[in-house]
Amino acid sequence: MAEAGIARGGKQAYSGTEEAMAYDRAARALSDRSKLKPVAVLGYGKDPAQKTEIYRPHAAEPREPLPVLVFLHGGAWIAGDFQWLRFMAEAVVAQPAIFAAVTYRLAPNHKWPSQLEDGIGALRLIQARISDYGGDPDRIVLAGHSAGGQIAAMTVLSRQAAPVHACMPISAPMDLRYGGVASDTGKGRVYRFLFRAAQDDAGASPICALACNRTPFHLMWGACDFDHIRDSNARMCDALRAAGQPVTSTIEPGAGHFDTHLRLSSPNDDWYRAFRDLAGRPGRSVGACA
């Protein structure tokens, strides 16, 4: 997890663990090489961070509306920007699908549930506007890496936007109830930077919000991921199955926390096969109980 964030506009340098900084360099280099430009940049709030970039295939108008991948960046809720997302654009549109990359307000300036509010706001906007760009609002898959995956899961489980077709968190913490941990540890930073009060941890934990869910989940994490990521995702899978809710999972052999995201620069990665399977065909809908 990162120690410091990236201010929008580059006013603050990124710093974090060596592994996180290597990810930052790799993601930015991949994004800089991408030649695909967004067809639209939409705001879903007044803050400069409340933005989504929309990417679509260059080909002629599709014969039918395309599935949509809405993806939120990671960064321990305190870092990240579009440069951690743009490298996915060419791979997503090659499926073919519409790609909606989402940024959101960051802690510590914006405490939880600001990030959840942004996930909901971005999703509502995309659901309302994506048909303008050839996307199918009934075939939206909401996903994200690390903190972005937690926001995606909580957005779905909050049931404050129209149901999506599936949710696909990647290396995301599914249980933030870390308890009495030191504030200078990876776990402790959620209490130091993200939450207003320690008791907010349960309300931000997807594993505590499963009641009434009917949205299919696909969880993916690395075999060499952080211990708390491996543990909470395994328990999340068990909890979804125990509740009779649809879930599939993938554990990537040899992959660390950041590898699971960087590999999505390839359109042939198996994760995109899971996305295509879950996105389904027009007319297939997934609901949430009242």
Side-chain angles (χ1 to χ4, degrees):
M1 293 187 179
E3 292 286 359
I6 302 173
R8 312 294 177 183
K11 295 181 181 179
Q12 179 181 344
Y14 177 77
S15 65
T17 65
E18 290 185 10
E19 189 178 16
M21 292 176 71
Y23 164 78
D24 174 55
R25 291 191 297 269
R28 290 175 180 277
L30 287 168
S31 290
D32 286 343
R33 289 200 290 270
S34 176
K35 297 180 180 179
L36 192 65
K37 302 300 180 184
V39 297
V41 180
L42 307 177
Y44 60 88
K46 295 181 179 179
D47 193 282
Q50 295 172 309
K51 292 284 195 300
T52 179
E53 292 185 346
I54 308 297
Y55 297 82
R56 55 169 294 169
H58 284 310
E61 287 295 321
R63 298 172 61 180
E64 59 189 31
L66 294 172
V68 182
L69 177 63
V70 180
F71 202 98
L72 297 96
H73 65 79
W77 304 274
I78 60 174
D81 60 12
F82 281 119
Q83 286 293 84
W84 289 5
L85 296 169
R86 289 173 179 145
F87 71 84
M88 295 176 59
E90 292 182 353
V92 176
V93 302
Q95 299 310 310
I98 304 296
F99 182 47
V102 175
T103 57
Y104 49 88
R105 292 172 294 171
L106 299 175
N109 291 335
H110 301 278
K111 300 287 189 177
W112 185 267
S114 297
Q115 295 74 24
L116 172 59
E117 293 166 356
D118 287 357
I120 294 166
L123 179 58
R124 287 174 173 172
L125 174 71
I126 292 164
Q127 289 172 327
R129 296 287 305 277
I130 203 63
S131 60
D132 297 341
Y133 306 101
D136 187 342
D138 293 325
R139 287 198 291 160
I140 292 176
V141 173
L142 185 59
H145 173 248
S146 195
Q150 177 266 348
I151 298 168
M154 288 302 303
T155 297
V156 168
L157 296 170
S158 75
R159 300 188 300 280
Q160 295 186 47
V164 296
H165 221 57
C167 186
M168 300 181 68
I170 298 171
S171 291
M174 293 290 105
D175 191 347
L176 276 66
R177 296 171 297 174
Y178 300 139
V181 293
S183 63
D184 60 350
T185 63
K187 292 179 179 179
R189 281 192 288 272
V190 299
Y191 298 102
R192 180 181 175 188
F193 295 123
L194 184 63
F195 298 141
R196 291 184 173 90
Q199 56 266 34
D200 293 342
D201 56 1
S205 297
I207 200 168
C208 297
L210 298 182
C212 212
N213 174 60
R214 287 174 54 192
T215 299
F217 270 73
H218 178 78
L219 305 179
M220 192 258 274
W221 65 97
C224 301
D225 220 313
F226 299 136
D227 290 347
H228 68 281
I229 298 293
R230 300 198 310 270
D231 172 69
S232 68
N233 276 267
R235 288 189 288 111
M236 180 75 164
C237 287
D238 290 344
L240 286 162
R241 293 189 186 103
Q245 298 174 11
V247 59
T248 54
S249 62
T250 301
I251 303 174
E252 290 297 332
H257 185 70
F258 301 103
D259 301 325
T260 54
H261 188 212
L262 291 174
R263 64 191 303 152
L264 299 189
S265 63
S266 169
N268 300 316
D269 190 85
D270 286 344
W271 189 84
Y272 289 117
R273 183 180 299 114
F275 162 73
R276 293 193 302 270
D277 289 345
L278 285 168
R281 304 295 298 173
R284 175 171 169 260
S285 62
V286 175
C289 51

